[in-house]
Amino acid sequence: GAGLLGTLSLPGSAAAADYRALVVVFLAGGNDGHNTLVPTDGAYLDYQRARPDLALAKASLVDLPGSSAGHSFGLHASLAPLSGLYQQQRLAFMANVGPLVVPATAQQVKDHAVELPPFLMSHSDQQQYTQGWMGDTDASGWAGRGLETLPASLKNALAAVTFDTNRTLVLGQNSRVAFLTPDGGRYWGNADLAHPEGFWSQSLNRMAQWQFSNEYEAEYARTFGGSITESTLFTQAFLKATPPQATFEDNELGRRLRTLATVLPVLKNSGYKRQVFFVNWGSFDTHVNQRGSGESTQDTQLMQLAKALTAFDTANQAAGLNRDVTTLVMSEFGRTLRPASGGGSDHAWGNHWMAMGGAVSGGQVLGQFPSLVLGGVDDSDPNRGGRFVPTTSADQVGASVMQWLGLPSASVPDVFPNLKNFSQKSLALLSA
């Protein structure tokens, strides 16, 4: 018989209407938020004074309409494609977001009067911590825990998905993380999972069903079998897919978001309910040479980001996924307001994130924008470097998007334990 591969199929399309997917684009390395979203009112002078050789010229900024969080704002010129989404209220910014254990002021941090997240300003630790890592005994992330806590009616296979070995955000406490490649993982050596009846696919299938008494071998076989199952489901979805109706550039982020834009409509129409996709991308650790046209400058990477996000939104709307897909753009920390010596910036804390999609309450900057004064009221750095204490917790943003996916509010403290210390558990970021 065809065995496992032959009998696998996507769920039925009976109730395909109720579908929601969260796509998290994680800007690895710590994107400089100060050169992403810039105040254009009087606060621009503070910004320019604080980073004279790194500040964006005011005339170069792409103005955002209206005022929000007490300021008028402009975007880095590389992000120009996103200004239209902001005007259409499909894009929102969240000001000064970062990991917090308890609400904190800069003075409390300088006085060592509040508990702080561990290992602040360490890339590896903060990447995991902003994604919900709870310490070595529990490596799971907030999206993985949240998916496990959803009501049974919203659960499905392929719930937590990543594109590479980065998976903290989507790792649950006792569920699998699926791996997605641009072809859906169709080819395993000589085996073509689109043809489960083939000799090599049959051989893979038999290996996946081997039984072992040794627990390590048994776990390997289980993991191997699960990976083949997931690759088969993705392969079937890609066989049904049509090319997305948008133009994606041929770079890593463009290819990944094109892959998602290709497969998401099929997953919705196949009866999947809730999914989180984790896209780890970029090299934003710009200590030197942050500006300019080089491949690894912030200027170049933000341009790739804006084009990929805009194409992704266009494709989702064309595919009828207007309100079904929300994209959250986050990073492990921001950069110092004060420039570093080599034309870049150093590790800091609070940062500006963004969210995109038809369900986003867009056209606004949510939260509290910091005072861009070195050594000012929001600067926790005793050396006046401009390291701002977050005024919105990363967990408040996470709770907002997970509740949109269907996480019951009663379960929020289990998924985000630090939120017990916050009176406000979420932001008015998304509309049902």
Side-chain angles (χ1 to χ4, degrees):
L4 180 71
L5 296 181
T7 55
L8 269 181
S9 63
L10 297 163
S13 56
D18 181 25
Y19 176 74
R20 289 185 179 185
L22 171 66
V23 176
V24 174
V25 176
F26 195 91
L27 307 181
N31 175 51
D32 180 14
H34 299 306
N35 274 17
T36 300
L37 180 70
V38 183
T40 53
D41 53 10
Y44 178 84
L45 294 173
D46 293 333
Y47 158 80
Q48 190 180 40
R49 199 175 296 126
R51 44 170 46 188
D53 51 352
L54 197 57
L56 302 168
K58 195 171 185 180
S60 76
L61 297 172
V62 180
D63 284 329
L64 295 178
S67 65
S68 206
H71 296 280
S72 56
F73 290 100
L75 291 180
H76 190 300
S78 292
L79 295 176
L82 298 181
S83 64
L85 296 180
Y86 188 90
Q87 287 175 22
Q88 296 161 37
Q89 301 187 355
R90 302 182 63 78
L91 180 82
F93 285 90
M94 292 143 279
N96 200 23
V97 181
L100 289 167
V101 179
V102 294
T105 65
Q107 193 60 50
Q108 287 173 319
V109 173
K110 286 193 275 197
D111 292 343
H112 306 289
V114 283
E115 185 182 352
L116 302 181
F119 313 115
L120 281 173
M121 288 173 257
S122 152
H123 287 292
S124 56
D125 295 290
Q126 292 313 301
Q127 283 167 4
Q128 293 187 71
Y129 200 82
T130 52
Q131 293 170 35
W133 174 67
M134 311 247 282
D136 291 335
T137 54
D138 184 350
S140 66
W142 53 253
R145 292 192 297 272
L147 286 166
E148 289 177 340
T149 316
L150 290 180
S153 61
L154 298 180
K155 290 185 176 178
N156 46 248
L158 303 179
V161 184
T162 186
F163 276 83
D164 56 28
T165 55
N166 293 283
R167 60 177 194 159
T168 297
L169 182 94
V170 288
L171 182 64
Q173 289 164 325
N174 40 42
S175 53
R176 291 181 52 81
V177 174
F179 179 64
L180 177 59
T181 58
D183 66 354
R186 174 175 173 176
Y187 297 100
W188 286 57
N190 292 332
D192 178 356
L193 298 186
H195 296 287
E197 72 287 350
F199 170 78
W200 291 106
S201 294
Q202 290 288 302
S203 301
L204 265 187
N205 177 37
R206 281 193 294 275
M207 287 167 63
Q209 294 174 335
W210 282 347
Q211 302 291 313
F212 294 97
S213 55
N214 178 293
E215 59 184 289
Y216 294 103
E217 293 172 323
E219 180 58 35
Y220 180 86
R222 265 196 303 275
T223 303
F224 180 72
S227 298
I228 292 171
T229 299
E230 289 154 359
S231 294
T232 302
L233 290 172
F234 276 132
T235 297
Q236 291 174 346
F238 276 99
L239 290 172
K240 294 181 180 178
T242 53
Q245 294 176 44
T247 305
F248 290 85
E249 292 197 337
D250 187 23
N251 53 46
E252 185 188 13
L253 185 62
R255 288 189 294 271
R256 287 181 171 187
L257 292 189
R258 187 183 192 279
T259 297
L260 282 177
T262 303
V263 80
L264 288 177
V266 180
L267 296 171
K268 174 183 177 175
N269 292 330
S270 301
Y272 284 85
K273 295 296 183 190
R274 297 294 184 267
Q275 297 182 293
V276 180
F277 297 88
F278 185 60
V279 182
N280 189 82
W281 173 77
S283 46
F284 285 89
D285 194 19
T286 50
H287 289 279
V288 295
N289 304 329
Q290 183 171 307
R291 306 292 321 280
S293 58
E295 188 62 27
S296 60
T297 65
Q298 187 196 26
D299 299 6
T300 297
Q301 291 183 91
L302 289 183
M303 187 175 293
Q304 292 181 355
L305 174 69
K307 288 178 177 177
L309 288 176
T310 310
F312 187 54
D313 189 68
T314 299
N316 288 337
Q317 288 192 68
L321 296 170
N322 173 30
R323 298 180 62 83
D324 303 334
V325 180
T326 293
T327 305
L328 173 65
V329 182
M330 58 188 282
S331 195
E332 66 257 42
F333 44 60
R335 318 287 305 178
T336 51
L337 181 62
R338 187 174 64 201
S341 53
S345 50
D346 291 329
H347 300 180
W349 192 358
N351 200 3
H352 310 317
W353 294 3
M354 56 180 134
M356 176 186 80
V360 171
S361 301
Q364 62 174 332
V365 177
L366 291 139
Q368 194 179 320
F369 197 80
S371 160
L372 300 182
V373 176
L374 297 177
V377 64
D378 295 312
D379 187 357
S380 65
D381 185 356
N383 299 313
R384 303 164 64 89
R387 288 190 167 103
F388 297 117
V389 179
T391 36
T392 294
S393 163
D395 288 341
Q396 289 169 318
V397 177
S400 306
V401 294
M402 291 311 295
Q403 287 184 87
W404 174 76
L405 279 185
L407 180 69
S409 53
S411 302
V412 166
D414 298 329
V415 177
F416 302 92
N418 287 331
L419 283 182
K420 67 179 183 294
N421 303 318
F422 292 79
S423 55
Q424 185 185 342
K425 312 291 187 201
S426 61
L427 308 178
L429 176 63
L430 292 143
S431 55

